[in-house]
Amino acid sequence: MMSTSDEPNNNNDTVRDLTGYEVVVGIAGGIAAYKVCSVVSGLVQRGAGTTCVMTEAATHFVTPLTFQTLSGRRAVTSIWGQEEDYYPDHIGLNERADLLLIAPATANIIAKIAHGIADDILSTTMVGATCPVLIAPAMNCNMWSNPVVQANVAKLRELGFHFVGPGQGWLACRAVGAGRMEEPDVILDAVAKLLKADPPKSMTMG
């Protein structure tokens, strides 16, 4: 029988590998938003400070309370912030963030980022981003293959934005093809790889 000392390490020995990092998770309006619950939970379990920023459309798929409960922080849903706040959310978030993850990234939010449009809390946060940005696209296969969408993606890649997915498979619209948001574990691995390329801002800020 395996002794206690010979037993493999449990997850608690490795799960805190992102301690000290701050991640802003931007959630756009798509059915794949439900998968982001697992991503947020995974980030928190691995020690990353996680703040969720939601478009108004995203709140129709998953409630802000769900992400607040998973992250342990208020989900930001408006550019105006809370009455007691004296500092715009999008500025404070960008100053602290080590990574900005957009998931699901719809054709709409990809277009806004590519063209510098800032008309809600998520797109405004993106315009002010000073950290690496990871985009996890999710949309219908015909939308993903649209030349305009592909041109926006190519532009963002050229500007240094990172992408994970999309994958191939069954889509919520009952089509089969490219456009399915990557699974949470794949997204988490991509986030961790980008974060670990540099020390947390919290270690370098005075």
Side-chain angles (χ1 to χ4, degrees):
M1 182 174 179
M2 183 182 290
S3 67
T4 302
S5 60
D6 293 329
E7 291 179 357
N9 291 334
N10 60 38
N11 289 336
N12 289 332
D13 294 326
T14 57
V15 79
R16 310 298 291 179
D17 61 328
L18 301 182
T19 297
Y21 288 102
E22 285 287 330
V23 179
V24 172
V25 180
I27 303 136
I31 186 61
Y34 80 92
K35 287 185 179 180
V36 184
C37 295
S38 294
V39 175
V40 170
S41 179
L43 287 170
V44 172
Q45 290 179 49
R46 292 176 70 167
T50 306
T51 303
C52 297
V53 175
M54 305 177 69
T55 65
E56 192 276 333
T59 65
H60 290 273
F61 292 93
V62 181
T63 68
L65 180 59
T66 298
F67 285 114
Q68 178 177 309
T69 302
L70 292 171
S71 68
R73 295 180 176 179
R74 175 174 64 90
V76 182
T77 59
S78 171
I79 196 170
W80 303 111
Q82 304 276 44
E83 289 185 3
E84 66 271 19
D85 290 342
Y86 292 94
Y87 202 49
D89 277 322
H90 61 285
I91 296 175
L93 289 172
N94 279 322
E95 289 184 348
R96 298 190 301 270
D98 295 290
L99 179 76
L100 208 163
L101 167 67
I102 309 296
T106 59
N108 183 53
I109 193 64
I110 288 173
K112 287 183 179 182
I113 298 168
H115 295 280
I117 295 172
D119 62 358
D120 60 17
I121 182 59
L122 180 52
S123 57
T124 302
T125 299
M126 285 302 312
V127 169
T130 57
C131 62
V133 177
L134 178 63
I135 297 174
M139 65 193 76
N140 168 268
C141 52
N142 293 329
M143 295 174 70
W144 174 248
S145 63
N146 185 294
V148 175
V149 174
Q150 288 302 306
N152 288 336
V153 170
K155 179 179 181 179
L156 292 176
R157 289 186 187 278
E158 187 176 329
L159 290 172
F161 289 78
H162 304 272
F163 282 79
V164 54
Q168 295 265 351
W170 177 263
L171 306 175
C173 57
R174 293 167 178 76
V176 177
R180 180 183 177 89
M181 193 177 82
E182 280 290 7
E183 296 304 313
D185 59 337
V186 177
I187 295 174
L188 282 167
D189 286 345
V191 168
K193 182 177 179 180
L194 286 172
L195 285 175
K196 292 178 180 180
D198 293 294
K201 284 184 180 179
S202 59
M203 292 180 58
T204 58
M205 294 175 68

